[in-house]
Amino acid sequence: MNHAEDVFSVKSVERIDADYLYKHSEAFEKKLAGRVFGNNSFRVVSIANAVGENAPAYVVRAFEFHDHFCPSVISGIFMAEYVKKHFSPENSNFFVHSVQPWCKEDALMVLLNATPGKRGYALGYPSEADLAQRVPEVRNAATIVYRQDRKTRIWEGKILAFEWADQPCLKVHKGMLGKLYADLWYLQHMQTPKTFVKVLKTFTLPEGVSPKDWAAPGIDPLEKLGLLR
């Protein structure tokens, strides 16, 4: 029978709690240059510090699915939190249509249980020309979230944008430590998603129309809503 020491070996041991890293940033940057954790440095540092800050288990699931914890994925976590608090009768079924994809998609899929496999998620990759056609009030539109009224079977949608916070400390901490600082700062504001998530428009689909109808190839939901020039 093999003992643990016969199977496993310690490759590297480093102190990685955020406060320590901020105070020893130059030394840590040198260790990163030496590939202290191989290609896994940001994965290890970001998720370990989030868990150390008592990130809820459901939030950690989003990190795990995304492969690491970055400010861009937490924007999706905030959107999901907003939807659950302000747009969610109990046990609602959601359909999510991303009109400007980034890391947030992974969090939205996990936290709203809306996935392509469940026919509940769609996205498109707008070009610069597409973005330029948007009217000013939806220029920053990121995601449309739909839910269906159980009685009428009619779908209501909200166009969401995310407003990033101005964080002066990011001018001091660059690179990985800058992202880590932003990660943990946002984590402290989990209870106030409304501060960052903005509703650009609320609308109702015509009777008999589903979000999938507006997610078909060649169809832009913003055009359907008259929000393109």
Side-chain angles (χ1 to χ4, degrees), residues 10 12 16 21 28 38 63-64 92 94 98 112-113 123-124 129 135-136 155 168-169 176-177 181-182 194 220 228:
V10 176
S12 57
I16 59 171
L21 295 182
F28 185 63
F63 304 160
E64 291 174 338
S92 289
F94 296 106
S98 175
L112 295 183
N113 194 30
L123 60 79
V135 298
W155 289 88
C169 191
M176 183 185 298
L177 293 185
Y181 177 88
K194 200 172 183 178
D220 186 334
L228 300 185

Side-chain angles (χ1 to χ4, degrees), residues 97 99 130 133-134 214 216 218-225 228:
H97 190 160
V99 293
D130 294 329
Q133 290 183 343
R134 296 181 179 181
W214 282 20
I219 296 178
D220 186 334
L222 297 181
E223 183 178 20
K224 287 285 190 181
L225 292 167
L228 300 185

Side-chain angles (χ1 to χ4, degrees), residues 74-75 78-79 102 140 142 160-164 186 196-198:
I74 207 167
S75 63
F78 274 55
M79 284 186 178
W102 66 73
N140 296 326
L160 305 180
F162 190 82
E163 294 187 356
W164 302 96
Y186 280 114
F196 309 97
V197 179
K198 304 302 177 184

